[in-house]
Amino acid sequence: MGPEKRKENYLIGRQPILNMKDETVAYELYFRSTAGPAQVEPGKDISYTVANGIMNIVSRFGLDQILGAYKGLIKADIELLMGDVVELLPKERIILELPGTISVTPELLLRCSTLKETGFELSLDDHDFNPAFDLLYKIIHTIKVHPFRMSTEQLTQAVKQFRTYPVKLLAEKVETREEFLQCRGLGFDLFQGYFFAKPSVIEKKPIDEASSSLFKLMRLLSEDAEMDAIEKVFRGSSVLTYKLLLLVNSVSLGLRQKVETVRHALAIVGRQKLQRWVQLALFASDDSKGMENPLVDMAAVRATFMEQLAASHPLLRANRDTIDQAYMIGMLSLFESQYKITLDEMVTSLNLSETIKEALSPKRGGTLGQLLELAELMENPGSWVTEDQLTELQLKQEDVLSAQMKAFSWLGEMSPAGAAKS
């Protein structure tokens, strides 16, 4: 007998797709084998990895845990598209994305028409207008365009040409607020990229009264202060009270009545959940989006992922305080991109430990810093995490995958109903 074939595991990347109102409408899913890109069989880079990754994840966890209420967009090359495995996917949850340079043949058109009739949505990836795609344009739902590799004149002309077809236009690789506004002004419907998490320097928020109170609350909660002191902070800030109630009500879906007072909120959520919500409030805008803000989702996923990794790490899992530190590090790692605050100022205002400061430093020092590097790597669509890297971090593939699943379903974990299960 030959050597036993090693079971292959897949990790998941997830990037939001937003509409013109900065609201998440879907996620693109990236399936990455821990074998690394060099180990994937030639000619099966997309179909092999995606097909195996999807079936591996869906059969064990289900798409609800990864996608919540949204649809998931996956890359589908010609092999996957024409194969039988695609028909096993839940058509009401999956958007199939074709390569932008795919050959338009009668067989492809027939297959795409059939898939559309059965309920699948179809997308075309990284595509420039081409009259040869006329019949395919009439079938698919969305076209992805990389707007910043062409001039404004060329882009305007491309949008005009695409608008003769019943498709939505998605601008990909949008990394700044200026790029988002430019694409929106040109007529794009959907947007992908981390522009919502990377404001320009002049757009960074000052530490206003409400934000200052939130920092004070974070410090009080981390120091296990008396509840009277915590309530006092709320009594002194109507804006802060509004932000907290907005967040609590947006996730307390199981309650028969709205949370209307701070005391009511505290009685329901408890100290640990309050600490998490206070941290998330720093990312939530003062509008009806609340927890639906994509930046809130990114911060919560990173923080929960860090927390779960620490709970699995052989050097960290025995210390509850360290696990809580991991969550805070994941959250705080995004603060500097949003607020006019330095790391030293953040350390002082929150009375952070040297361990947290070291992890948040540009060098990402210590074990917690290494976990933060891993979390950031997982958010990069073009990155790979290899088995050797995980071994160096003293983590198992199963630990990372489990941490991802819990991170993606953070909203359910954060709600009172979710808290009761844990």
Side-chain angles (χ1 to χ4, degrees):
M1 294 179 62
E4 184 177 349
K5 186 176 181 180
R6 179 177 61 82
K7 180 182 178 181
E8 195 158 17
N9 288 284
Y10 296 85
L11 302 179
I12 306 170
R14 192 185 75 166
Q15 188 178 46
I17 296 172
L18 277 57
N19 63 15
M20 298 177 70
K21 298 179 180 179
D22 275 3
E23 298 169 334
T24 301
V25 294
Y27 288 104
E28 178 160 4
L29 301 181
Y30 305 92
F31 296 89
R32 295 288 184 260
S33 167
T34 53
Q39 301 296 322
V40 176
E41 185 177 341
K44 293 188 176 181
D45 187 16
I46 296 178
S47 62
Y48 177 81
T49 302
V50 170
N52 283 277
I54 292 172
M55 303 317 297
N56 181 290
I57 300 302
V58 171
S59 63
R60 296 171 56 191
F61 299 101
L63 282 175
D64 286 346
Q65 198 162 354
I66 305 172
L67 296 172
Y70 303 110
K71 288 192 174 186
L73 183 149
I74 63 171
K75 294 187 182 301
D77 64 3
I78 189 66
E79 183 178 359
L80 178 62
L81 194 70
M82 304 300 286
D84 294 336
V85 68
V86 72
E87 298 175 9
L88 300 177
L89 300 175
K91 55 183 178 293
E92 68 281 356
R93 304 302 310 278
I94 292 296
I95 302 170
L96 299 172
E97 183 174 79
L98 287 63
T101 56
I102 197 168
S103 297
V104 181
T105 64
E107 292 78 16
L108 175 71
L109 293 171
L110 177 60
R111 180 60 165 166
C112 288
S113 295
T114 301
L115 290 172
K116 182 177 181 178
E117 289 173 2
T118 59
F120 279 104
E121 285 191 31
L122 302 172
S123 176
L124 197 57
D125 185 26
D126 197 7
H127 182 73
D128 296 330
F129 182 82
N130 185 341
F133 281 67
D134 174 74
L135 294 177
L136 187 59
Y137 291 156
K138 296 175 181 177
I139 299 173
I140 61 175
H141 301 78
T142 306
I143 297 176
K144 266 192 189 181
V145 177
H146 188 343
F148 307 111
R149 67 182 181 192
M150 61 182 82
S151 68
T152 302
E153 292 74 17
Q154 290 173 325
L155 183 58
T156 302
Q157 178 63 17
V159 171
K160 182 179 179 180
Q161 291 170 316
F162 282 130
R163 281 303 175 207
T164 62
Y165 298 91
V167 298
K168 288 186 177 181
L169 294 181
L170 189 159
E172 61 177 339
K173 298 180 175 64
V174 181
E175 297 301 322
T176 69
R177 178 62 52 177
E178 289 79 7
E179 291 177 349
F180 164 69
L181 294 175
Q182 179 186 354
C183 292
R184 190 173 69 177
L186 287 171
F188 281 86
D189 308 286
L190 303 169
F191 310 87
Q192 192 172 3
Y194 285 119
F195 64 93
F196 62 87
K198 297 178 181 179
S200 64
V201 175
I202 60 173
E203 290 175 326
K204 286 188 179 182
K205 303 174 187 177
I207 302 297
D208 56 12
E209 177 267 334
S211 301
S212 179
S213 297
L214 284 167
F215 273 89
K216 184 175 181 179
L217 273 173
M218 287 178 64
R219 182 168 182 168
L220 289 172
L221 288 164
S222 66
E223 294 173 350
D224 203 25
E226 294 293 329
M227 194 57 69
D228 286 344
I230 293 172
E231 286 187 84
K232 185 177 180 179
V233 178
F234 282 102
R235 288 197 297 269
S237 174
S238 59
V239 175
L240 178 59
T241 299
Y242 168 76
K243 288 174 74 86
L244 179 70
L245 295 179
L246 178 67
L247 291 172
V248 171
N249 282 317
S250 69
V251 299
S252 301
L253 303 179
L255 299 180
R256 293 186 177 181
Q257 62 185 43
K258 286 285 186 179
V259 178
E260 297 178 349
T261 68
V262 172
R263 182 170 291 276
H264 187 192
L266 297 178
I268 291 172
V269 306
R271 183 179 292 265
Q272 184 183 39
K273 298 298 180 185
L274 175 64
Q275 187 171 14
R276 302 293 168 86
W277 274 320
V278 166
Q279 293 172 6
L280 286 175
L282 281 161
F283 295 98
S285 56
D286 297 322
D287 56 32
S288 59
K289 282 194 288 187
M291 288 291 190
E292 301 302 318
N293 186 327
L295 183 58
V296 173
D297 183 76
M298 182 180 185
V301 168
R302 182 184 292 189
T304 305
F305 182 61
M306 289 274 298
E307 176 190 41
Q308 295 299 324
L309 288 179
S312 300
H313 197 284
L315 301 180
L316 306 177
R317 60 191 176 201
N319 190 327
R320 180 67 244 183
D321 289 340
T322 302
I323 296 173
D324 288 338
Q325 284 181 337
Y327 184 96
M328 180 173 284
I329 288 167
M331 192 70 64
L332 295 179
S333 64
L334 288 167
F335 277 10
E336 284 188 277
S337 70
Q338 295 299 309
Y339 289 93
K340 294 177 181 177
I341 185 173
T342 66
L343 176 58
D344 287 338
E345 290 171 337
M346 192 159 53
V347 168
T348 300
S349 63
L350 294 176
N351 194 26
L352 299 176
S353 68
E354 283 298 316
T355 299
I356 295 180
K357 180 179 180 180
E358 182 185 17
L360 289 171
S361 71
K363 293 183 179 180
R364 300 296 193 237
T367 303
L368 289 173
Q370 291 177 322
L371 296 188
L372 177 56
E373 280 190 317
L374 175 61
E376 292 170 327
L377 193 63
M378 296 294 292
E379 294 168 359
N380 185 346
S383 67
W384 290 75
V385 177
T386 67
E387 189 173 357
D388 289 342
Q389 288 174 298
L390 296 182
T391 300
E392 186 176 346
L393 288 172
Q394 301 187 52
L395 291 170
K396 299 177 181 178
Q397 297 174 29
E398 288 294 314
D399 296 333
V400 179
L401 183 58
S402 176
Q404 283 192 298
M405 292 302 102
K406 291 180 179 178
F408 290 149
S409 59
W410 68 272
L411 189 59
E413 296 293 323
M414 286 283 290
S415 70
K421 297 176 184 178
S422 58

